């Protein structure tokens, strides 16, 4: 080993160990929170990788880390212990971002922002404190340092990050008697260790290679150093930006770090002069036979799942380097040995995912061997570089289509879930023998498809209403077209088809939350629809061409805007749009001879004020439009609040579903011309 | 057989001062396929336009503003 390489190894080893100690946390497998003790509420759909692990909330580097998401609201960490909370004590790392601590009681909400050295009740001013920060709840009063900060009904606790990553070093929950109910000590519990040894070894190899290679090597060394310094929050943001639904941030970080060493590796390989083999021997029949044998074996392995259609083309690709060997008079056996990683990748991964690493490896060999090929066969080598460079995106497309990226980067999915155009009901039922009346229910996830009853479609309120009416002797057909994310925009664009398909006598519309409180773009749904319609046909066709490619879809995600819901958020369906949509729905129903029953969504008390204008708009429409009726569900259900009618903040619980069914059944019966079920007594 | 004699021109000599990357560029230059550059540039521009056109359609995952 030269002195330069030796010096590089020593310097690199130290640098690698330092980097691993200071920035290695992003590359370490985090510990999961105990799912028996904590609920991590993650907004967004189909984003879970591994339960409790690997996204924004985890134990890493001796701290309970809460990382704000780029494309979603922060995770909420909620203790599973249902007992009333008596107090919270927490210690933040000195470099931590602030933690939001919410004490949520029935009808009360205290939002406390805690920084490492100061706290405040929003929206008030900051007060300094000495760690740990402690809040106690006594006699309906929340107190910090003995001073009252506000009244609260017996609260539940929610923790979340704000704008920066929060690092909690200790967390202690107490009951009303002051006894500990939950203690998190991530410093003691942290099993992972910063990978100092691994960092040192990688650093030694990289440092030696960099100094041995020369000036270009030092430039190439900057790439992995830069990647190593990228924090966990950035990897999390990239995972979300690219919609990598099956990949944890630390896995992406490791893959990126491995790839970041590629320029250094190529430079070192070129410097070694061993990227290309020596001169072809006079008799090379053995070499050609070896190529055919290895390629045949790789093709057989790659086709083991029955993908034989790819075998002829794949075999040609595997044997292609022989052309270069012939043109450049290279030893075919030597070239075969260097090409073995490509054959191994295809054999191990199959044709779809395997061709990408094979093409990439051959490109590495050609680039590293450019100096040698420049002398031997520049034209054949240049052709090889062009062919491989052009093949790379196709191989990447094939790889994406062969893995879970095929679903993750499916344009139809990325453009906002087109499933709402599907007119298949989420649930349907029929009872009675005579001529049946038909009731159609439409709405979002509280009406059908939500996670709380996902495997029990007959647990949603439309089927509970149906059951009550059937028990009362009705002859009835019920179809539930509720599903997650649906709103008045989607319903107004499908109502004619639904009316034609189902021919209902009554349409029950349970909407509101998805209209006003969802923000998935910088534009409203109607604006996005208009923008698409305004795009020229040629441009639409060109865009549609790109939409067929998973690679284009995936890379396009890099350019998508991140939305700060608090600042940029625009309702998917603002109030005026919602009114226009409901008018359109009412007009279509009237033309089809159906009555419309509007039911403003029942939401948690802290959200009622936000939804009040929506409920008022629906009441105004019911008073104004013929054939449109209203049930003010929130007011009617308010006396039953103590039963816990909501599963979270807007999805009905089982108790809520039964109360809603009890409320709606007489009105549905009257409006649909059915026998009315017996009416229950009030609460208490 | 001795390695073929290679006499770089002035431009290639300049390129060869930039290590491995320079050798690659010299290879492409000497390979005589530089006239394919317009094709490559057009392909790259088309890919960039496609990426932009696609990205404007995408929406964020479903979220609630006030929850």
């Amino acid at each position: 080993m030269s002195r330069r390489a030796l010096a590089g190894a020593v310097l690199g080893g130290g640098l690698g160990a330092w980097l691993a100690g200071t920035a290695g946390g992003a590359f370490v497998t985090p510990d999961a929170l105990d799912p028996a003790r904590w609920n991590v509420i993650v907004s967004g759909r189909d984003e879970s990788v591994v339960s409790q692990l690997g996204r924004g909330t985890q134990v890493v580097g001796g701290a309970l880390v809460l990382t704000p998401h780029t494309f979603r609201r922060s995770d909420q960490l909620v203790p599973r212990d249902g007992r009333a909370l008596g107090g919270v004590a927490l210690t933040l790392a000195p470099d931590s971002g602030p933690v939001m601590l919410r004490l949520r009681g029935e009808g009360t909400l205290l939002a406390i922002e805690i920084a490492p050295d100061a706290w405040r009740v929003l929206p008030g001013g900051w007060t300094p404190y000495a760690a740990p920060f402690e809040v106690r709840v006594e006699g309906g009063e929340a107190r910090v340092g003995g001073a009252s900060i506000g009244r609260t009904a017996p609260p539940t606790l929610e923790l979340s990050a704000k704008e920066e990553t929060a690092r909690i070093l200790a967390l202690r929950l107490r009951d009303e008697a002051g006894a500990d109910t939950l203690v998190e000590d991530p410093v003691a519990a942290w099993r992972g260790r910063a990978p100092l040894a691994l960092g040192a070894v990688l650093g030694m190899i990289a440092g030696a290679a960099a100094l041995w290679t020369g000036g270009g090597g030092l430039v190439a060394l900057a790439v992995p150093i830069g990647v190593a310094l990228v924090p966990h929050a950035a990897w999390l943001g990239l995972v979300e930006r690219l919609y990598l639904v099956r990949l944890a941030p630390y896995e992406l970080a490791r893959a990126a770090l491995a790839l970041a060493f590629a320029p250094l590796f190529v430079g070192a390989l070129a410097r070694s002069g061993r990227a290309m083999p020596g001169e072809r021997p006079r008799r090379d029949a053995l070499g050609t036979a070896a190529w055919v044998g290895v390629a045949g074996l790789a093709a057989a392995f790659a086709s083991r799942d029955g993908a034989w259609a790819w075998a002829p083309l794949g075999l040609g690709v595997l044997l292609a380097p022989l052309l270069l060997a012939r043109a450049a008079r290279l030893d075919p056996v030597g070239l075969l040995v260097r090409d073995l990683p490509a054959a191994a990748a295809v054999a191990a991964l199959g044709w779809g995912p395997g061709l990408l690493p094979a093409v990439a490896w051959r490109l590495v060999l050609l680039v590293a061997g450019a100096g040698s090929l420049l002398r031997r066969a520049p034209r054949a080598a240049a052709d090889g570089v062009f062919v491989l460079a052009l093949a790379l995106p196709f191989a990447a497309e094939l790889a994406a289509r062969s893995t879970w990226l095929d679903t993750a980067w499916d344009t139809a999915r990325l453009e906002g879930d087109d499933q709402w155009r599907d007119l298949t009901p989420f649930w349907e039922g029929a009872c009675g023998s005579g001529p049946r009346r038909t009731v159609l229910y439409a709405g979002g996830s509280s009406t059908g498809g939500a996670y709380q009853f996902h495997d029990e479609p007959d647990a949603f309120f439309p089927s509970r209403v149906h059951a009550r009416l059937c028990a009362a002797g009705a002859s009835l057909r019920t179809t539930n077209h509720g599903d997650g994310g649906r709103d008045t925009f989607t319903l107004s664009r499908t109502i004619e088809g639904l009316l034609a398909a189902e021919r209902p006598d009554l349409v029950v519309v349970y909407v509101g939350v998805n209209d006003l409180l969802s923000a998935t773009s910088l534009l409203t749904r109607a604006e996005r629809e208009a923008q698409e319609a305004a795009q020229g046909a040629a441009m639409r066709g060109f865009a549609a061409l790109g939409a067929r490619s998973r690679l284009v879809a995936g890379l396009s995600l890099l350019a998508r805007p991140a939305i700060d819901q608090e600042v940029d958020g625009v309702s998917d369906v603002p109030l005026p749009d919602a009114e226009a949509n409901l008018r359109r729905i009412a007009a279509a129903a009237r033309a089809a001879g159906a009555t419309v029953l509007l039911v403003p969504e029942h939401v948690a008390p802290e959200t009622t004020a936000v939804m009040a204008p929506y409920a008022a708009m629906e009441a105004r429409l019911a008073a104004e439009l013929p054939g449109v009726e209203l049930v003010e569900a929130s007011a009617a259900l308010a006396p039953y609040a103590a039963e816990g009618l909501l599963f979270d903040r807007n999805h009905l619980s089982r108790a809520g579903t039964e109360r809603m069914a009890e409320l709606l059944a007489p009105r549905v019966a009257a409006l649909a011309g059915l026998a009315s079920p017996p009416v229950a007594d009030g609460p208490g | 057989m001795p390695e073929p004699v290679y006499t770089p021109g002035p431009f290639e000599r300049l390129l060869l001062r930039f290590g491995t990357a320079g050798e690659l560029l010299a290879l492409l230059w000497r390979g005589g396929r530089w006239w394919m550059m317009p094709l490559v540039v057009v392909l790259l521009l088309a890919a960039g336009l496609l990426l932009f056109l696609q990205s404007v359609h995408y929406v964020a995952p479903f979220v609630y503003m006030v929850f």
Side-chain angles (χ1 to χ4, degrees):
Chain A
M1 182 186 268
S2 72
R3 284 186 181 181
R4 283 166 63 102
L6 195 61
V10 173
L11 290 174
L15 181 65
W18 177 76
L19 278 171
T22 53
F27 301 86
V28 177
T29 306
D31 283 347
L33 284 165
D34 182 356
R37 304 205 296 176
W38 291 102
N39 237 345
V40 182
I41 300 174
V42 182
S43 63
R45 55 186 174 191
D46 195 21
E47 284 283 340
S48 55
V49 181
V50 180
S51 175
Q52 311 273 333
L53 175 63
R55 288 293 197 186
T57 305
Q58 56 205 9
V59 177
V60 66
L64 169 53
V65 175
L66 309 175
T67 309
H69 294 281
T70 307
F71 287 92
R72 290 185 278 115
R73 298 192 63 77
S74 293
D75 296 350
Q76 290 154 20
L77 190 58
V78 180
R80 293 187 75 102
D81 184 348
R83 279 179 288 180
L85 187 75
V88 187
L90 63 81
T91 304
L92 293 177
D95 60 346
S96 170
V99 164
M100 286 303 302
L101 186 153
R102 290 185 180 83
L103 296 175
R104 197 182 290 276
E106 186 66 47
T108 64
L109 174 65
L110 273 175
I112 307 168
E113 184 175 358
I114 307 159
D117 54 3
W119 66 278
R120 63 172 179 161
V121 177
L122 290 176
W126 290 93
T127 305
Y129 74 95
F133 173 82
E134 190 159 6
V135 57
R136 303 189 70 122
V137 180
E138 294 165 338
E141 200 99 40
R143 295 175 181 278
V144 175
S148 172
I149 59 168
R151 292 202 59 77
T152 175
T156 56
L157 171 76
E158 283 177 12
L159 288 169
S160 58
K162 209 176 173 200
E163 287 111 5
E164 304 164 62
T165 298
R167 300 180 70 240
I168 300 172
L169 300 179
L171 177 63
R172 196 175 283 269
L173 307 189
R174 300 195 176 99
D175 62 17
E176 287 173 314
D180 286 344
T181 56
L182 196 159
V183 177
E184 274 304 329
D185 187 356
V187 178
W190 172 236
R191 293 192 301 275
R193 291 286 172 263
L196 293 182
L198 185 60
V201 170
L202 282 176
M204 284 172 72
I205 297 169
L211 284 197
W212 182 56
T213 307
L218 287 174
V219 174
L221 185 61
V223 182
I225 291 175
V227 171
L229 290 171
V230 175
H232 167 75
W235 295 115
L236 176 64
L238 197 57
V239 160
E240 290 177 357
R241 177 175 287 280
L242 290 175
Y243 239 119
L244 301 174
V245 291
R246 299 261 188 94
L247 207 62
Y250 63 89
E251 292 172 318
L252 180 66
R254 289 174 190 171
L257 185 62
L259 281 178
F261 282 106
L264 194 58
F265 175 75
V266 172
L269 191 60
R271 169 80 165 79
S272 74
R274 294 179 183 279
M276 285 293 140
E279 193 72 18
R280 171 198 290 269
R282 282 177 188 279
R283 296 179 61 187
D284 61 350
L286 178 66
T288 306
W291 266 94
V292 172
V294 169
L297 266 176
F301 271 105
S303 307
R304 60 188 176 279
D305 293 332
W308 290 103
W310 282 92
L313 179 63
L315 207 56
V317 170
L318 286 169
L319 289 171
L322 272 178
L323 296 175
L324 180 69
R326 194 167 294 276
R329 297 185 306 281
L330 300 171
D331 172 19
V333 175
L335 192 60
L336 178 62
V337 169
R338 286 160 178 80
D339 193 60
L340 278 179
V346 170
L349 303 175
W351 295 116
L355 278 177
L356 178 61
V359 168
W361 174 249
R362 287 176 172 179
L363 209 47
V364 163
L365 286 180
L366 275 187
V367 173
S372 165
L373 293 168
L374 190 57
R375 293 168 178 78
R376 292 169 180 268
R379 176 156 296 210
D383 287 348
V385 171
F386 272 119
V387 167
L388 287 172
L390 287 174
L392 203 60
F394 290 101
E397 175 73 22
L398 190 60
R401 284 181 179 273
S402 309
T403 61
W404 52 268
L405 289 172
D406 189 40
T407 311
W409 289 351
D410 178 2
T411 306
R413 195 177 106 94
L414 292 168
E415 284 183 355
D417 191 359
D418 236 12
Q419 288 180 356
W420 55 268
R421 294 188 190 279
D422 183 0
L423 301 183
T424 310
F426 168 70
W427 178 89
E428 57 185 331
C431 63
S433 52
R436 286 177 178 141
R437 311 293 284 177
T438 298
V439 180
L440 184 155
Y441 291 81
S445 51
S446 291
T447 310
Y451 55 93
Q452 74 273 30
F453 309 132
H454 196 60
D455 51 355
E456 293 177 75
D458 56 354
F460 290 82
F461 77 84
S463 23
R464 306 318 303 153
V465 176
H466 179 83
R468 283 170 182 268
L469 296 176
C470 289
S475 187
L476 172 68
R477 192 170 76 88
T478 296
T479 61
N480 181 358
H481 287 267
D483 203 357
R486 293 192 184 179
D487 51 32
T488 58
F489 174 89
T490 65
L491 181 57
S492 63
R493 269 65 177 175
T494 51
I495 187 67
E496 279 90 359
L498 286 172
L499 291 167
E502 306 288 8
R503 301 191 174 280
D505 300 287
L506 176 65
V507 178
V508 181
V509 181
Y510 187 65
V511 289
V513 167
N514 287 351
D515 276 6
L516 280 196
L517 304 187
S518 59
T520 58
S521 167
L522 297 171
L523 302 175
T524 67
R525 273 197 187 257
E527 286 169 342
R528 297 204 298 267
E529 185 185 55
Q531 187 186 54
E532 200 166 321
Q535 228 176 35
M539 205 54 96
R540 272 208 304 276
F542 191 54
L545 186 71
R548 300 170 74 94
S549 161
R550 297 293 186 269
L551 195 61
V552 169
L555 293 178
S556 298
L557 291 171
L558 285 171
R560 73 170 165 152
I563 303 167
D564 184 339
Q565 273 84 29
E566 315 258 357
V567 180
D568 312 316
V570 53
S571 295
D572 270 358
V573 188
L575 202 57
D577 292 11
E579 181 173 340
N581 292 337
L582 286 171
R583 286 180 182 278
R584 188 168 161 176
I585 293 163
R590 191 165 60 246
T595 302
V596 172
L597 177 59
L598 298 179
V599 187
E601 271 192 78
H602 178 53
V603 292
E606 67 268 19
T607 314
T608 306
V610 184
M611 294 304 300
Y614 196 97
M617 178 270 290
E618 288 195 300
R620 182 162 46 76
L621 286 185
E624 179 192 329
L625 299 175
V628 177
E629 301 289 330
L630 179 83
V631 169
E632 293 189 23
S634 279
L637 294 178
Y640 303 99
E643 296 176 10
L645 302 183
L646 292 170
F647 179 80
D648 43 28
R649 281 162 223 156
N650 68 314
H651 295 102
L652 294 167
S653 64
R654 287 184 195 279
T657 294
E658 286 305 330
R659 286 294 178 196
M660 182 65 80
E662 185 181 76
L663 173 69
L664 291 184
R667 291 297 300 276
V668 169
L671 293 170
L674 297 163
S676 185
V679 178
D681 295 334
Chain B
M1 187 187 292
E3 194 162 87
V5 176
Y6 166 59
T7 312
F11 182 59
E12 288 169 76
R13 276 203 296 276
L14 177 70
L15 289 175
L16 289 173
R17 295 172 68 173
F18 293 95
T20 308
E23 285 179 344
L24 175 66
L25 291 174
L27 177 77
L28 295 177
W29 180 260
R30 197 169 185 81
R33 295 292 188 251
W34 47 268
W35 52 266
M36 286 177 72
M37 274 308 174
L39 172 70
V40 174
V41 169
V42 168
L43 283 175
L44 286 176
L45 285 177
L49 183 60
L50 274 178
L51 294 183
F52 171 75
L53 285 175
Q54 279 309 116
S55 68
V56 297
H57 289 281
Y58 295 153
V59 297
F62 188 73
V63 289
Y64 291 126
M65 278 194 291
V66 299
F67 290 168

